[in-house]
Amino acid sequence: MAAPPDDPPAAVTPRASFADTLAVYFKRRVLIIFLLGFSGGLPIVLVGSTLQAWMKLDGIDIKIIGLATAVALPYNLKVFWSPLVDATDVPVLTRLLGRRRGWLLASQAFLMATIVCLGLCDPAVSVPLVMTGAVLVATASATQDIVIDAFRVESLSESEQAAGMASYVAAYRIGSLVAGAGALLLVAALEARGFAGSAAWTACYVVMAALVLVGVIGTLLAKEPESSAAVAAGHGRPAAQSALRRALRSAIDSFKDFLSRDLAVGALVFVVLFKLADALAFALLTPFVLDIGFSLTQVATIRNGIGFAAALIGGFVGGFIARALPLSTSLWIGQNLPLLAVTTSIESFSDAVGTVIFVAYLSALCRNPLYTATQFALLTALAALGRNVFSLGTGYVEHATGWPWYFVVCVLSGLPGLALLAWLQRHGHFERLMQEQT
């Protein structure tokens, strides 16, 4: 009897050429994510380092400035209203634009209004009023983030995800630069032209609010993700539950869906710890640079130069790494803690690489279109604990230790995250995650 023929060789997916890898960045869907990333990066700096600079120059105590990081808590609490984004529609806008785009436009309009309101406040007159305005901005910004994250995951194909993440992070950095260095330069220029301090800051925040229109343009040019049609049809059925009950059911089901994963709790703790060192180091960066003698213009110039260029390059390098290497290997490359205390430019580069790869990891954990917004909001809220909660006491830590030991503490805080990364890798967490995607 003749021997049976050999099994046909398994198909091998050809590796994308360098030109193809670059071409994906110019696809319409990826460019839309770039525009949305810009408006996503603006507000977090306006309630962070830019607001810290305003308070510092108005003579507010460093301990109060450290506590003021609490205004960013909506970025952590957004998980509690993210089910509304998954389960409810925005009147009129959802019918005109679609499920995700309707929420995008609503959150962007809210964001522009709150930034203007914050600019009308003055730390020298009332710190509590400024904090209230900043909380409103953070709430609007967190809502926009919920929708952008869900829209990005749902609208991009698997081959576009890495480029989309790199483009989003790069645009986010540009938006942060404009709201940070750009805002400080604008204030300095306005003051040089005779504007009073408070008037210069008000004008600055009004300009920042207008720049959110970049994201609005992205929303209007975008196409609704295909998965939205099926979900929206469920919302419109006569027998469907009320919007509030749908939101509650969506929250419960999304958490049950996530917790059904193997090593889910370990993954959640890892999300909290991975970027902790960066969060603590950045918490008081602006007051630190001003405290050691740099002027407002010099701070803006430094951020506008080597540090920003390194971060921008690092973001795209992170995209290439996420596309070319396994996820667990990529995460090790992106978190280079010993370099944290060396120079701002190296730290900015490694932080940008790590951010893109970390977002790739979060995206891999959120693949169910029914719960994308809720699950991604949960993960990013946990990731922001270091920046918005653990950083609350940074002013007191610096006051007790001084700047050198403060940054040593920041570096040491990153070690538990690296240990947990090794533990998850040893238990096959990332291999199973990749199997689920394929």
Side-chain angles (χ1 to χ4, degrees), residues 49 269 326 437:
S49 61
V269 177
Q437 286 187 284

Side-chain angles (χ1 to χ4, degrees), residues 258-316:
F258 187 89
L259 292 174
S260 66
R261 294 176 176 272
D262 192 34
L263 302 176
V265 175
L268 292 177
V269 177
F270 172 67
V271 167
V272 173
L273 295 177
F274 184 68
K275 300 287 287 181
L276 178 59
D278 291 347
L280 297 181
F282 276 117
L284 295 177
L285 185 59
T286 297
F288 165 67
V289 177
L290 292 173
D291 202 37
I292 60 177
F294 287 97
S295 69
L296 201 62
T297 302
Q298 288 172 325
V299 173
T301 302
I302 291 170
R303 289 185 177 179
N304 197 36
I306 298 174
F308 171 70
L312 196 61
I313 295 170
F316 286 106

